[in-house]
Amino acid sequence: MNDLKAIKKQLRLETLARRDALPLDWRIEASLKMAETAATIQFEPGTIVSGFWPMRSEVDVRPLMFALREKGARLCLPAILDKTTIVFRELVRGAEMIEMGYGTTGPGEDAAVLDPALMLIPLAAFDPRGHRIGYGAGYYDRAIARLHDLGMKPRMIGIAFDCQQVNYVPDEPHDVVIPEILTESGLRRFGDSF
């Protein structure tokens, strides 16, 4: 188990270094290009979509989130409650944004807590099978497990740049496979989920 954690940690460090090396202007253009994918993401108006406020050199999904809102999505962002738990708070125009830790912001405690039916998930690394590496805290694995326990099967779309792809991500029993990953090259689908 420790070997797997060490391998994942090394893969995370390598892919995040590649992502950090991308020029800011290029990342902005790639993020805007990825927002154009909103037209191909099908959902019913009123669907709850979780996104994330970008930190460090992450893909800026705000243009994509707002494009989805224009199509009728109800948006929410993760809020860290403690060292193991995130919930998703509604993102509405004009609402106060507060510091969430780890260099990100989100809606305050007054915002409604929602359960997303479509999740945009930040990735540190991914492989051609749709296996992923997050940032190592397991927040999304636990949040997805909680939604499954509620009988929900949210559609999950991982968000990353192409340079974050690796040949192979080692599997662990708690890992969640992401059936779709959006990069600047487009939306990739894995398995027979769609």
Side-chain angles (χ1 to χ4, degrees):
M1 186 64 85
N2 287 335
D3 288 345
L4 285 180
K5 289 189 185 306
I7 291 168
K8 285 185 172 186
K9 181 178 180 179
Q10 184 61 36
L11 288 171
R12 183 181 301 112
L13 290 172
E14 291 170 6
T15 57
L16 293 181
R18 287 195 301 266
R19 188 184 77 187
D20 289 345
L22 296 171
L24 176 61
D25 290 349
W26 186 92
R27 288 196 319 261
I28 292 168
E29 288 300 319
S31 296
L32 291 171
K33 181 179 180 184
M34 292 164 73
E36 295 171 6
T37 305
T40 65
I41 299 174
Q42 301 300 314
F43 58 88
E44 295 294 321
T47 296
I48 298 170
V49 176
S50 68
F52 54 92
W53 219 249
M55 59 184 189
R56 298 188 297 269
S57 60
E58 280 183 334
V59 172
D60 187 346
V61 294
R62 291 174 293 188
L64 174 59
M65 290 187 324
F66 298 132
L68 295 173
R69 183 181 64 201
E70 292 299 311
K71 287 182 60 175
R74 190 173 171 194
L75 300 176
C76 56
L77 296 173
I80 299 169
L81 298 185
D82 55 43
K83 291 184 178 185
T84 63
T85 309
I86 59 173
V87 295
F88 297 92
R89 293 182 182 156
E90 187 167 21
L91 174 63
V92 295
R93 286 182 189 258
E96 178 185 8
M97 299 287 281
I98 62 170
E99 177 64 36
M100 286 287 146
Y102 301 101
T104 189
T105 59
E109 292 180 10
D110 294 342
V113 174
L114 305 175
D115 292 324
L118 193 162
M119 301 175 76
L120 306 176
I121 301 173
L123 305 178
F126 67 95
D127 71 16
R129 305 173 301 144
H131 289 252
R132 71 185 235 298
I133 297 174
Y135 292 109
Y139 285 116
Y140 275 90
D141 290 321
R142 286 187 295 277
I144 293 164
R146 184 186 65 78
L147 292 170
H148 287 174
D149 289 346
L150 294 172
M152 297 180 66
K153 300 288 184 200
R155 180 178 177 186
M156 297 176 286
I157 302 175
I159 306 291
F161 294 114
D162 286 333
C163 70
Q164 293 172 250
Q165 182 172 334
V166 297
N167 291 329
Y168 181 78
V169 171
D171 305 35
E172 293 184 72
H174 67 273
D175 288 340
V176 175
V177 176
I178 304 295
E180 297 177 274
I181 295 178
L182 177 62
T183 71
E184 69 273 16
S185 296
L187 185 62
R188 307 175 195 187
R189 293 190 166 114
F190 304 93
D192 55 4
S193 298
F194 294 91

